[in-house]
Amino acid sequence: MKRDFDCDLLVVGLGPVGDVLSALATLHGLKVIAIDRSPTLFPLPRAAVFDHEIMRIFQAMGVAERIAPLCRVPDRYQFLTADRQVLLDFPVAPVGVFGWAETYALHQPAVEEVLRIRLAELAVQVELGVAFVQCTQDAAGVTADVVADGEARQIRARFMVGCDGSWSPVREALGITLDDYNFDEPWLVLDTIIENPGDLPIVCQQLCDPERPVTHMAMSGQRFRWEFMLKPGETAEDMLDDARIHALLNPWQCSDRLTIERKAVYRFHALVAKNWRDGRVLIAGDAAHQMPPFAGQGMCSGIRDAANLAWKLAAVIHGSASEAILDTYQQEREPHVRAIIATAIAMGEIVCLLDPAAAVGRNAAMLARKAAGAQDVSVAYPDLVGGFLTETPQAGALFPQPLAADGDRFDAVLGLGPVLIARTPLATQALPLRVVSLDAPELAKFAEALDRWLADAGADAVLIRPDRHVFGTGAAADLVSAWRAMAEQERVA
Ligand SMILES: Cc1cc2nc3c(=O)[nH]c(=O)nc-3n(C[C@H](O)[C@H](O)[C@H](O)COP(=O)(O)OP(=O)(O)OC[C@H]3O[C@@H](n4cnc5c(N)ncnc54)[C@H](O)[C@@H]3O)c2cc1C
C-alpha cells in the first residue's frame, strides 16, 4: 500500500454532485482527484429543474452567470385535475430571498458541461474512464483500487467521497444498506426536442388524471419532457413502442413536430442510506439518497450535500476542526433530505392515484381546502438542526442573499470561509474566522438589509458558515467562543 498521498480528497463519480464537491473542495484549498468510470459526460437529461439554493452554490463555484442563460425560469409549478382545476400551485418568484429565481428549468447535460469546464479552470485532476473497484482504510487515509483500460492501480487519499450515483459501488464496498420507503412507481420518461413549439403550453405541470397521470415540463430552449405513469399490467416494452408513444402524445398535437431524444422507463424510488460516513469514506448525492422526482429535488439535495461536506472536509484537512465534524454531515443533511422525500412522496401520492372514485374524493377535498386558503403540500423545506450549529435564533437557517441596488449579490462580500458580521466591533486576535463590522465599507451596499435581519433576529451579530447556513446569532464574542468550543468539543468527542 502506498503511504504517501496522491491527494487530500478522492471524489468517485463526476455527476453533478461530484462536480460540485470537487470544485468547492478545490476552492477551499484541497488537492482533489476526481474519477469517473465513464469517458464522457452522460449525454441525456435527468433533472428537469433546480432551485435558488443550488444556483447560489453554483455562484460560489463561479459558474452561476454562465448557467443562468442556459436555463428557463418557469412562472409556476402546478398539479391539475383531469379537467384542469388547480390542486396545488407553486408560483416561482423571479428573484427569491437567496438572490436568484426560485426555480430554473435546465438541460442537465448543458449544465454539467459548464461544471466540467469549471473543474478544468480550477485545475482539478479529473481522470475519466477510471472506475473505482474497492478501498481499504487506515488511520491516516484511504487507498482506492481503480481500474482504467483494464489496468489496475491505486489512488491514495486522506478522504474519499462516493458521488457515484444510485448503484454506488462505494456504498456497496462499505456494505452500507438502504432504508426503503417502499414508494416504487414505474414511469415512462420522454425527452423531446420540438423546433417549432407553436402554441404548445410552456408549463411545469402534473396532470393528476386517474386515467393516466402525466408530467409535462417545458425545459430550456426547445426541449420538452413528458412522463407517463405505467398502469398495472403495462410493461416497459409496451410503453417504449413508438406508436404507443405517439398515441400518448396525441392530446398535445405535436407528434409530427418532435424528435424523441430519449425514451426510458424509470422506477421512481425513495431510499436513504443508513450511514453516510465510514471513517475516511463518505457518500453523497444519489449514493446516499434517492427520491421520486415530483418535487424536483434529487439533484438539488445531492448538491446541498456537496456544499455541506466541502468546507467540513477542508476544515479537518487544514487542521481547524477534528474529524468528528464529519459526523455532523449526516446529522444535518439526513433530516433535511427526509423532509424533502416526505414532500416528494406526498406529491407522488396525489399524482399517482389511479382509482377514479378516490380521485373524485381527492379533488373535492383538496379544492375545498384550497378555496379556504390552504394548500396540502408545502415546499418550504426545514432549516438544518443539530450538527455544527448553536441553539440560537435562526441557527440552521440559510442566510438570505440580499441584492444591492446595482444588482451586486451579497455572497461576493462573504467569500468562501466562515464570516461573523457584528454591529459591535470585536478585538481581532487570532480568530478562527473573518469578522466584518456592520459599518465596514464592503458591507455598505447591503447594510440596510443586514441591519433589518439582525434586528428581526434580536441579535448583535450573526456567524455565517461557508455553506451560508447560520451557525448562530447573538453577541459576537459568544459566537466566536461557541465556534471554537464546538470545534474543540468535536475534537474531544
Ligand atoms: C426522470 C428523472 C427526473 C429527475 N428530475 C429531477 C429534477 O427535476 N430535479 C432534481 O434536482 N433532480 C431530479 N432528478 C434526480 C437527479 O437526476 C439525480 O439526483 C442526480 O442526477 C444525481 O446526481 P449524482 O451526481 O448523485 O449521481 P449521477 O448523476 O448518477 O452520477 C454518478 C456518477 O458516478 C459514476 N460512477 C458510477 N460508478 C462508478 C465507479 N465504479 N467508478 C467511477 N465512477 C463511477 C457514473 O459514471 C456517474 O457519472 C431526476 C431523476 C430522474 C431519473
Side-chain angles (χ1 to χ4, degrees):
M1 179 191 297
K2 283 201 279 181
R3 288 282 151 208
D4 50 338
F5 293 100
D6 299 302
C7 57
D8 295 318
L9 175 65
L10 173 61
V11 175
V12 178
L14 276 177
V17 176
D19 287 334
V20 173
L21 178 61
S22 301
L24 291 179
T26 302
L27 286 164
H28 281 293
L30 300 188
K31 169 156 174 40
V32 176
I33 296 180
I35 62 168
D36 198 289
R37 71 175 168 202
S38 169
T40 53
L41 260 181
F42 188 64
L44 296 170
R46 284 165 294 161
V49 293
F50 66 88
D51 69 23
H52 48 165
E53 288 186 41
I54 304 314
M55 191 58 115
R56 192 179 188 185
I57 294 169
F58 290 154
Q59 178 189 351
M61 277 178 65
V63 291
E65 303 289 353
R66 281 181 253 177
I67 287 177
L70 302 175
C71 300
R72 188 181 65 77
V73 176
D75 297 339
R76 56 204 332 109
Y77 177 36
Q78 290 188 319
F79 288 56
L80 306 175
T81 62
D83 61 355
R84 306 299 193 264
Q85 296 186 76
V86 179
L87 294 174
L88 298 176
D89 185 20
F90 304 103
V92 172
V95 184
V97 286
F98 302 127
W100 295 95
E102 283 178 336
T103 304
Y104 292 87
L106 78 154
H107 177 53
Q108 189 173 342
V111 169
E112 285 193 50
E113 201 181 329
V114 174
L115 302 181
R116 290 284 182 93
I117 290 169
R118 186 68 181 134
L119 295 188
E121 289 168 356
L122 294 170
V124 176
Q125 187 174 331
V126 171
E127 298 192 21
L128 301 179
V130 177
F132 166 86
V133 180
Q134 60 165 8
C135 61
T136 51
Q137 300 191 52
D138 54 63
V142 189
T143 304
D145 292 333
V146 301
V147 62
D149 291 330
E151 297 230 342
R153 69 181 171 101
Q154 292 187 324
I155 300 175
R156 176 97 173 130
R158 291 178 204 280
F159 289 91
M160 180 174 98
V161 182
C163 304
D164 48 349
S166 53
W167 296 101
S168 180
V170 171
R171 189 185 66 225
E172 287 293 307
L174 298 177
I176 295 174
T177 55
L178 295 166
D179 185 12
D180 191 340
Y181 281 71
N182 295 316
F183 183 95
D184 205 24
E185 298 293 351
W187 282 65
L188 168 69
V189 177
L190 287 181
D191 281 305
T192 68
I193 299 175
I194 307 184
E195 281 178 19
N196 171 21
D199 54 3
L200 196 64
I202 305 295
V203 290
C204 289
Q205 283 180 347
Q206 300 288 347
L207 295 181
C208 308
D209 180 351
E211 269 297 303
R212 174 77 70 192
V214 179
T215 307
H216 177 207
M217 296 271 176
M219 292 157 84
S220 61
Q222 298 165 330
R223 289 192 151 83
F224 291 80
R225 172 173 292 175
W226 279 268
E227 296 170 9
F228 297 94
M229 185 176 168
L230 272 63
K231 295 198 275 193
E234 289 176 336
T235 64
E237 204 185 0
D238 293 338
M239 297 297 278
L240 292 167
D241 176 70
D242 277 349
R244 185 66 183 275
I245 287 173
H246 285 285
L248 288 167
L249 289 171
N250 248 345
W252 287 272
Q253 298 183 343
C254 57
S255 303
D256 54 334
R257 287 176 281 150
L258 62 73
T259 308
I260 295 176
E261 197 179 23
R262 185 258 299 266
K263 52 180 183 176
V265 170
Y266 276 92
R267 215 162 246 290
F268 296 156
H269 295 294
L271 303 162
V272 178
K274 292 194 174 141
N275 298 307
W276 300 19
R277 176 184 177 207
D278 178 346
R280 292 178 167 269
V281 182
L282 300 101
I283 52 174
D286 274 17
H289 44 76
Q290 293 147 51
M291 64 184 73
F294 305 107
Q297 281 288 326
M299 178 186 76
C300 295
S301 297
I303 290 176
R304 288 191 197 99
D305 295 345
N308 188 289
L309 204 43
W311 69 273
K312 290 178 180 174
L313 284 164
V316 172
I317 291 168
H318 296 321
S320 53
S322 80
E323 278 174 37
I325 195 176
L326 298 177
D327 286 331
T328 69
Y329 161 60
Q330 181 174 1
Q331 283 164 18
E332 292 173 2
R333 292 291 311 133
E334 183 180 352
H336 195 267
V337 164
R338 285 188 183 273
I340 294 180
I341 290 177
T343 302
I345 290 178
M347 289 176 166
E349 283 170 347
I350 292 168
V351 179
C352 299
L353 198 58
L354 294 176
D355 175 346
V360 169
R362 170 202 65 196
N363 294 350
M366 287 184 70
L367 290 169
R369 282 193 290 272
K370 196 147 182 304
Q375 183 156 272
D376 279 20
V377 180
S378 161
V379 290
Y381 300 124
D383 296 340
L384 301 183
V385 288
F388 199 84
L389 299 163
T390 56
E391 289 180 8
T392 55
Q394 297 294 333
L398 200 54
F399 196 75
Q401 173 163 234
L403 254 62
D406 62 4
D408 280 0
R409 291 185 169 84
F410 171 65
D411 287 5
V413 179
L414 285 182
L416 281 170
V419 178
L420 182 108
I421 296 172
R423 288 183 196 282
T424 314
L426 195 73
T428 52
Q429 75 289 40
L431 291 174
L433 41 88
R434 188 171 146 227
V435 179
V436 188
S437 172
L438 190 57
D439 58 12
E442 66 258 47
L443 291 189
K445 288 183 194 174
F446 308 102
E448 203 183 313
L450 297 175
D451 182 58
R452 217 176 312 122
W453 191 92
L454 285 171
D456 288 349
D460 188 59
V462 54
L463 204 170
I464 305 168
R465 305 190 328 183
D467 57 13
R468 317 308 188 202
H469 283 277
V470 174
F471 171 74
T473 52
D478 292 347
L479 290 170
V480 173
S481 317
W483 183 281
R484 270 208 185 100
M486 202 163 285
E488 280 311 307
Q489 245 176 32
E490 295 288 345
R491 206 181 291 281
V492 172

